[in-house]
Amino acid sequence: MLTKPEEFVTRFAPSPTGRLHKGHAFSALMAYKRAQAEGGRFLLRIEDIDITRCRAEFVDGIYEDLAWLGLAWETPVRRQSEHFADYQAALEKLKTQGLAYPCFCTRKDIEAEIAKSASAPHGPDGPVYPGLCRHMSTAERTAKITGGVPHAWRLNLATALNHIGEPLAWRDEIKGTVPAIPEALGDVVLARKDTPTSYNLSVVVDDALQGITHIIRGEDLFHATHIHVVLQRLLDMPTPIYHHHGLMLDEHGQRFAKRNRAVTLESLRNSGADVATLMRAFP
Ligand code: GLU
């Protein structure tokens, strides 16, 4: 009997906080073409947990731009804002295992604590959370929560790593086997004060729920994988194979980013650019 070839499922997961730029086009096309070459599936996911920054017109823009690039994706498209219950369930699972704690700190509290210590550890996302709320008593936590003090939920990384009890690693198509060093990110936020989840939690939950086998994304997210593999293990979710590709640079050697006001695909299209020329410029 012939064995079924392993399924290949990948995704492109933009956040609708602005229009897509060339860097997005490169990443989306890389994932799409790979899925085609593997006879696999390509999914699109809208990462819109941040209701203050995400806009409906940018979601429409994503569909428009990807269609222009010639991409096709399965429907319905998963929109994270419609699945808060899934992230809540994952958070509950971590809470019941004693791996998450409420954090009442304001940004100012954290900055002040960091300023006090000359050797505050810095990770790729900035200073590591100094742990002010990590050892608060249950009574104090309960009193604050009942009193309505706004709070986030953080992963207790030390307890989590103890619970796992062995070093973790992931398979990266470019870098090979990468040992996870999540300490550089520390007690990451699992649920924000203003949103009942976080990028790290929802991306891990969705990749598992959608059966993603290969994650193809920019190397700007390489560091986040160190914590994703930890969350996957804690939540009994599989670790996909990763491919963190290099980022495209503009003519000034700057990476394309929304904050650099990178030329959007929309403006390129409106100025008569064609997709074939765009693709020829890809490394
Ligand atoms: N939503 C993330 C972004 O737009 C990408 C998430 C991912 O690929 O893991 O940067």
Side-chain angles (χ1 to χ4, degrees), residues 34-54:
R34 178 73 190 277
Q36 282 194 317
E38 302 279 351
R41 296 167 57 203
F42 172 78
L43 309 182
L44 172 64
R45 181 167 77 225
I46 303 292
E47 302 217 323
D48 59 348
I49 56 167
D50 191 338
I51 41 175
T52 55
R53 290 173 61 225
C54 294

Side-chain angles (χ1 to χ4, degrees), residues 39-252:
R41 296 167 57 203
F42 172 78
L43 309 182
L44 172 64
R45 181 167 77 225
I46 303 292
E47 302 217 323
D48 59 348
I49 56 167
D50 191 338
I51 41 175
T52 55
R53 290 173 61 225
C54 294
R55 301 222 302 254
E57 70 200 74
F58 295 141
V59 178
D60 295 341
I62 289 169
Y63 296 148
E64 212 175 286
D65 293 340
L66 296 183
W68 178 61
L69 292 172
L71 270 58
W73 53 90
E74 295 182 15
T75 51
V77 168
R78 185 172 173 93
R79 290 183 61 155
Q80 292 189 322
S81 59
E82 294 168 356
H83 298 280
F84 284 120
D86 290 333
Y87 316 130
Q88 198 60 39
L91 179 61
E92 284 308 317
K93 192 166 171 178
L94 298 173
K95 281 193 215 170
T96 48
Q97 295 177 89
L99 303 175
Y101 63 88
C103 172
F104 306 92
C105 291
T106 60
R107 203 178 288 257
K108 272 199 175 146
D109 296 333
I110 298 176
E111 281 166 6
E113 184 66 17
I114 289 165
K116 273 199 246 165
S117 129
S119 60
H122 270 64
D125 280 338
V128 172
Y129 176 65
L132 286 165
C133 291
R134 193 185 298 134
H135 302 295
M136 195 179 277
S137 70
T138 312
E140 198 181 342
R141 281 178 183 157
T142 313
K144 281 188 187 279
I145 293 178
T146 350
V149 182
H151 58 284
W153 285 89
R154 288 184 180 272
L155 177 69
N156 187 329
L157 184 65
T159 313
L161 294 182
N162 225 1
H163 179 89
I164 293 171
E166 62 174 7
L168 296 178
W170 77 86
R171 202 174 122 208
D172 199 287
E173 289 185 329
I174 297 187
K175 296 227 159 84
T177 302
V178 183
I181 312 170
E183 292 83 353
L185 292 156
D187 289 0
V188 293
V189 170
L190 298 169
R192 291 162 27 176
K193 281 184 184 169
D194 58 351
T195 311
T197 184
S198 63
Y199 159 66
N200 289 315
L201 184 64
S202 38
V203 83
V204 161
V205 169
D206 282 353
D207 285 331
L209 287 179
Q210 296 192 287
I212 304 298
T213 61
H214 288 70
I215 293 182
I216 298 169
R217 63 182 176 196
E219 63 186 14
D220 52 331
L221 287 168
F222 181 84
H223 69 277
T225 311
H226 289 279
I227 206 77
H228 294 175
V229 297
V230 171
L231 294 175
Q232 285 153 0
R233 177 63 75 86
L234 296 174
L235 294 166
D236 293 320
M237 293 170 171
T239 291
I241 293 169
Y242 286 85
H243 180 119
H244 293 99
H245 60 73
L247 301 181
M248 275 191 76
L249 301 179
D250 66 14
E251 64 274 25
H252 310 292

